[in-house]
Amino acid sequence: MKGSLVDVSNNSRCDLDPVTILGRNSDCQLHIDDQRVSRRHAMIRHQDNGFWFYDLGSFNGSLLNGARVTTTLKLTNGDTLQLADHIYRFEQEGDASSNQDSSLIGSATIALIRSVKVIIIVSDIKGFTSLSENLPADELARTIGQWYRECDQILARHGATVDKFIGDSVLAYWTSTGPEQRLSALKASRDLLDACTHIYADHREVFDQARQNFSAGVAINMGEVAYGGMSQSEFTLVGDPVNLTFRLESLTRSLDESVLTSSAFFENWDEGEQYKKNLGPHKVKGRAKLVDVCAVTSFPEA
């Protein structure tokens, strides 16, 4: 699947990369030389057999088909994006979900999929529905966009690969599971929590007026997943450990803990014992067996 943005004013075309940044900075893949456009205004990410649009907390916002963007939105062929006075038409070629011609199957390249042990991290904004109901649309867009941007930067800084953003959550992973990567996962979880504190401080007046807070839960897990090219256009990981990580993150609310992990994350890692406390077995939605859960009580030094 290929995607592109066409400038409706002159029909110039920008082909989309797996991650395309739109903004005023000269290093943006789609550079827009306009002071009304933020330096890193928006992002388009290719994931889940499609292209998803994120406003990165821009000052003047983004419009999709005339409506203000306040969360992640999947683009469809013919959609129009507007940043300040700059209007772009999204065009998409091909559909990874469509059936292939059987005569081509024999000549197609088979994606390499392998089983590998990974560290998985999930973070999810708490109370997103309440935020959506109580914050003005422009403030919600800036807040969520800033969170997207900071998550992307934090996870990259700690060596993780962002698999996808899903509305108000992010999924990322490390393909090595040694002590260094486990420390990186703990540091990343600390920075993801700190990012929420910074975002709240940046928008404190708006949050306080709406009687809202801004925080997120984080979960870390480790296990064997299927990892590789799931299609010609998607490189991702799937498997039960991924599902369990999302379930662990949801437990942060009921257990009143900011960061939870499976016991597997700390297996055969004596150094890690100082960072956790055992919470014992807990029922996790969708699983018959109880899961041994740990809370992260401290973090490695920066």
Side-chain angles (χ1 to χ4, degrees):
M1 181 191 301
K2 295 181 179 180
S4 58
L5 291 181
V6 178
D7 188 330
V8 300
S9 67
N10 57 22
N11 284 324
S12 62
R13 182 180 300 271
C14 173
D15 292 330
L16 298 176
D17 295 329
V19 177
T20 301
I21 304 297
L22 296 70
R24 201 170 77 244
N25 274 2
S26 59
D27 61 350
C28 291
Q29 286 85 349
L30 179 54
H31 175 236
I32 306 173
D33 189 13
D34 187 328
Q35 289 294 119
R36 296 169 298 174
V37 174
S38 297
R39 294 182 182 278
R40 292 172 64 86
H41 193 106
M43 172 175 67
I44 297 176
R45 179 182 286 273
H46 186 199
Q47 63 184 52
D48 292 334
N49 294 325
F51 291 88
W52 293 74
F53 182 83
Y54 310 75
D55 184 285
L56 295 178
S58 65
F59 185 80
N60 289 315
S62 307
L63 300 180
L64 176 62
N65 298 326
R68 180 71 181 249
V69 176
T70 59
T71 186
T72 56
L73 294 172
K74 188 175 184 180
L75 298 175
T76 58
N77 194 44
D79 280 347
T80 58
L81 289 169
Q82 183 172 350
L83 285 65
D85 291 335
H86 305 272
I87 301 175
Y88 301 90
R89 182 176 65 254
F90 172 70
E91 294 186 356
Q92 180 175 301
E93 298 178 20
D95 182 356
S97 64
S98 62
N99 294 327
Q100 292 181 322
D101 187 331
S102 61
S103 65
L104 299 178
I105 295 295
S107 60
T109 300
I110 305 228
L112 176 62
I113 300 175
R114 57 195 175 97
S115 179
V116 64
K117 197 170 186 179
V118 299
I119 297 170
I120 305 162
I121 189 168
V122 167
S123 184
D124 184 85
I125 297 170
K126 295 181 179 180
F128 182 71
T129 300
S130 182
L131 288 172
S132 301
E133 291 174 347
N134 291 285
L135 261 62
D138 57 344
E139 290 295 341
L140 178 66
R142 291 194 190 99
T143 300
I144 302 305
Q146 184 178 349
W147 184 77
Y148 290 149
R149 184 176 66 248
E150 295 207 19
C151 285
D152 204 46
Q153 293 171 348
I154 288 167
L155 292 163
R157 184 167 67 246
H158 291 290
T161 298
V162 173
D163 184 90
K164 64 188 71 175
F165 287 94
I166 312 167
D168 55 341
S169 66
V170 60
L171 166 66
Y173 58 92
W174 290 260
T175 54
S176 296
T177 59
E180 181 180 349
Q181 287 73 31
R182 298 194 209 193
L183 287 171
S184 292
L186 292 177
K187 292 175 183 178
S189 65
R190 174 203 61 210
D191 290 353
L192 289 170
L193 296 179
D194 287 347
C196 293
T197 302
H198 300 154
I199 291 170
Y200 175 80
D202 289 346
H203 305 269
R204 186 184 186 102
E205 184 176 347
V206 174
F207 282 123
D208 288 352
Q209 187 173 4
R211 297 182 179 179
Q212 298 292 309
N213 199 350
F214 190 81
S215 61
V218 180
I220 309 172
N221 189 22
M222 191 165 71
E224 295 273 346
V225 299
Y227 169 78
M230 301 300 158
S231 70
Q232 290 183 344
S233 62
E234 186 177 3
F235 196 79
T236 188
L237 71 164
V238 294
D240 183 64
V242 179
N243 299 330
L244 177 56
T245 313
F246 278 97
R247 300 304 188 192
L248 288 171
E249 193 284 323
S250 67
L251 277 181
T252 60
R253 281 81 166 159
S254 59
L255 297 181
D256 194 26
E257 297 286 352
S258 297
V259 184
L260 294 178
T261 80
S262 64
S263 59
F265 177 71
F266 288 100
E267 283 180 358
N268 302 315
W269 186 35
D270 292 340
E271 181 188 354
E273 294 295 318
Q274 62 185 303
Y275 303 118
K276 59 122 172 152
K277 67 178 177 182
N278 295 318
L279 299 181
H282 282 77
K283 175 66 177 176
V284 175
K285 183 178 179 181
R287 298 176 73 91
K289 294 183 179 180
L290 298 179
V291 176
D292 286 327
V293 178
C294 300
V296 175
T297 55
S298 63
F299 300 97
E301 293 184 5

